[in-house]
Amino acid sequence: MDYDMILLRYGEIAIKGKNRSRFEKAAYHHVKAVLAPFPRTNIIKEYGRLYVELNGEPFQDVIDVLKHIFGIVSLSPVKRAPSELEPIIETAKKLMQEMNPGPDTKFKVNARRAWKAFPHGSQDLQHLVGAPVLREFPQLKVDVHQPEIELRVEVREGSTYLFSEVIKAAGGFPLSSNGKAMLLLSGGIDSPVAGYQALRKGLEVEAIHFHSYPFTSERAKQKVLDLAQVLANYAGRIRVHLVPFTDIQTRLHQSGHENLLITLMRRAMLRISTQLAEERKAMAIVTGDSLGQVASQTLGSMNVIGRVSDLPLLRPLVAMDKEQIIRYAEQIGTYDLSILPYEDCCTLFVPKSPATNPNLNVVERVEQSIPELEQLIAAAVEGTEAIILRAGGHPDDAIVINANKGKTEHKEQQEINHNSDVPGADSTHGDWF
Ligand code: ATP
Ligand code: MG
């Protein structure tokens, strides 16, 4: 397929009122980030639209990436012609060739003369282009009311844009236009889907993963990074916090309340996540919980677990069925990774009969009987390692930024400086590029 550009249209929600320029800026930054693996592409910003010039980059690969720009409702591949009648007609025929119309296809030309010096008006142009296209494709029938193919011709001063196909895109809100949240990311099927939904709703997402190395293997950690890489390919970039959970888990296990272990672990995870959220200025925590799926996801469990955090707990999958979640996972490309075998820290000392309706008082008393719990939680936060994954990258070349907290600030600063050459980078976007 031979196209010159791709046109991106914003959703209506995204362009309303005073948020418009903020939304458009966010979408621009998002496109810029996911196109990093296609260095010849060039983005053109226009009122209410974006164009991506391909300059020889592979059309289908670029479309596949752009389809997941949040806040964009549809895309159209565009052919460009010089703004002269003959080349416009020739290009219209080529475009129709790509559309490969079947018998009795209803069709119309919709022309717009934006460049007033062009010698033919919009109405004239519709006929001047339509007639030769009809001659070349006798299977077409003109229908101006309900065309199956609408061939759009936009005459501009520099060149004329021709397009027809409309490809559905992700919709939602532009990335990072609704604030930042921390995503609890395990190696399962659900949490990566929850992460995608959060991104789609305009949240900037940082992932948190709890590992119990050496009880859980290096491979299990790699699996989570591979899943996070898929999210990074959508988001442009994702920061993953890897939290050492072994000591806490071991200590909670020693407390002897086997049926409450999952509840206790989840509360510890949520406390740590809340502290990390504060550090990273995130305003919510996203999980892959789906009501009733397992013991820790009953309403009773959610209630007791959720009390340790005063941040909003967002559960995009709460009312979804497993089959629906699996379909999403397949669509976003995480399913095959998620079903690989792995050990999660929570499956380690998995109790035979986990409480489905834990008692808050009992849970609090158990926690109070472990005086060093606060310290263990602080140590886990302190020992957290962060990794940055970028679109198109491979988890192996991820940047580790705080294996040692002393060095962190310095490296992180370099990271930010390095990226400050992104056009339009500004404080409203924090440091997500
Ligand atoms: P998933 O497919 O997301 O693992 P699940 O059905 O296995 O979900 P649980 O293991 O009960 O569900 O976990 C519920 C949620 O808790 C997960 O969706 C995730 O958000 C969070 N979670 C569980 N384990 C971890 C972990 N090791 N690190 C970070 N978050 C976790
Ligand atoms: Mg899980």
Side-chain angles (χ1 to χ4, degrees):
M1 267 173 274
D2 181 23
Y3 290 104
D4 302 301
M5 302 193 300
I6 295 157
L7 157 63
L8 290 77
R9 297 179 191 85
Y10 297 113
E12 247 185 279
I13 291 172
I15 59 173
K16 268 189 189 142
K18 61 179 179 348
N19 282 327
R20 181 186 184 117
S21 81
R22 190 166 63 86
F23 277 149
E24 291 196 358
K25 213 174 193 177
Y28 173 85
H29 281 285
H30 191 188
V31 173
K32 180 104 191 148
V34 298
L35 287 181
F38 306 97
R40 281 175 296 174
T41 54
N42 180 41
I43 310 168
I44 302 169
K45 239 201 266 191
E46 250 181 38
Y47 188 77
R49 283 179 180 186
L50 283 177
Y51 292 93
V52 171
E53 289 182 319
L54 288 166
N55 296 321
E57 294 288 1
F59 164 75
Q60 197 55 53
D61 294 353
V62 173
I63 285 270
D64 286 344
V65 166
L66 294 178
K67 258 199 270 191
H68 292 281
I69 298 294
F70 307 118
I72 298 292
V73 286
S74 66
L75 315 171
S76 288
V78 178
K79 281 184 189 287
R80 217 166 18 190
S83 289
E84 294 160 31
L85 189 56
E86 274 316 307
I88 290 174
I89 292 170
E90 283 317 303
T91 308
K93 288 183 193 166
K94 280 193 205 142
L95 186 67
M96 190 53 76
Q97 192 71 51
E98 306 272 12
M99 302 296 291
N100 192 21
D104 291 331
T105 303
K106 292 181 256 173
F107 138 93
K108 88 170 196 187
V109 176
N110 180 344
R112 193 165 67 87
R113 179 177 61 167
W115 176 44
K116 297 301 172 205
F118 187 72
H120 310 280
S122 302
Q123 290 285 332
D124 280 356
L125 200 55
Q126 257 140 234
H127 295 290
L128 289 168
V129 174
V133 169
L134 275 170
R135 269 199 301 278
E136 180 127 347
F137 298 88
Q139 67 269 47
L140 295 175
K141 278 195 327 198
V142 176
D143 184 334
V144 293
H145 302 295
Q146 283 190 312
E148 291 156 273
I149 295 181
E150 181 173 352
L151 202 159
R152 306 280 306 270
V153 181
E154 288 186 8
V155 183
R156 297 151 175 254
E157 183 165 358
S159 51
T160 294
Y161 298 172
L162 296 99
F163 51 93
S164 180
E165 193 184 355
V166 177
I167 300 165
K168 197 170 177 299
F173 290 95
L175 186 70
S176 190
S177 61
N178 276 333
K180 192 200 281 192
M182 307 303 272
L183 165 71
L184 298 198
L185 184 63
S186 68
I189 294 169
D190 304 328
S191 46
V193 176
Y196 181 86
Q197 302 285 10
L199 290 170
R200 187 180 170 277
K201 275 293 173 184
L203 296 179
E204 180 191 352
V205 165
E206 293 194 11
I208 301 176
H209 177 68
F210 296 86
H211 64 88
S212 289
Y213 189 76
F215 296 138
T216 55
S217 64
E218 197 59 39
R219 237 188 57 233
K221 185 165 111 182
Q222 190 57 44
K223 178 185 178 183
V224 172
L225 289 180
D226 290 343
L227 284 167
Q229 179 63 51
V230 177
L231 295 179
N233 292 345
Y234 293 123
R237 157 182 157 148
I238 288 258
R239 184 184 293 244
V240 185
H241 302 265
L242 296 166
V243 185
F245 202 58
T246 319
D247 293 347
I248 293 177
Q249 189 166 11
T250 310
R251 185 63 191 86
L252 291 173
H253 183 58
Q254 284 164 358
S255 75
H257 295 266
E258 202 187 78
N259 62 334
L260 289 178
L261 186 60
I262 299 276
T263 311
L264 293 164
M265 287 195 325
R266 287 274 188 266
R267 279 167 62 98
M269 285 183 176
L270 200 49
R271 284 202 172 99
I272 292 165
S273 303
T274 304
Q275 290 187 25
L276 290 172
E278 249 156 53
E279 248 178 46
R280 300 297 305 159
K281 299 191 172 52
M283 293 187 288
I285 291 172
V286 178
T287 74
D289 290 332
S290 181
L291 190 61
Q293 203 182 77
V294 289
S296 61
Q297 297 173 33
T298 60
L299 195 58
S301 289
M302 284 188 190
N303 181 310
V304 171
I305 293 165
R307 278 166 195 265
V308 296
S309 182
D310 44 19
L311 287 175
L313 299 174
L314 306 182
R315 300 177 172 99
L317 314 184
V318 75
M320 274 163 74
D321 301 331
K322 194 75 188 186
E323 302 86 80
Q324 248 179 315
I325 299 170
I326 287 174
R327 246 195 334 269
Y328 264 111
E330 286 168 342
Q331 278 167 18
I332 64 170
T334 52
Y335 184 72
D336 290 342
L337 287 169
S338 288
I339 57 172
L340 294 171
Y342 81 110
E343 332 81 51
D344 186 44
C345 63
C346 300
T347 53
L348 272 185
F349 315 107
V350 79
K352 279 181 223 66
S353 56
T356 51
N357 195 12
N359 181 303
L360 181 62
N361 289 328
V362 177
V363 169
E364 284 179 344
R365 242 179 289 131
V366 176
E367 286 172 350
Q368 279 154 17
S369 74
I370 310 172
E372 70 274 33
L373 190 58
E374 259 342 285
Q375 247 173 307
L376 288 171
I377 285 175
V381 171
E382 183 63 24
T384 295
E385 180 185 58
I387 286 182
I388 290 180
L389 302 173
R390 289 175 187 287
H394 191 273
D396 287 347
D397 34 76
I399 307 157
V400 181
I401 45 176
N402 59 347
N404 168 334
K405 286 237 163 169
K407 282 188 188 155
T408 309
E409 306 304 331
H410 179 61
K411 276 206 179 172
E412 198 167 352
Q413 197 53 48
Q414 278 182 349
E415 173 77 7
I416 293 165
N417 291 344
H418 171 70
N419 284 293
S420 61
D421 59 354
V422 174
D426 62 32
S427 57
T428 57
H429 286 89
D431 61 348
W432 51 286
F433 284 105

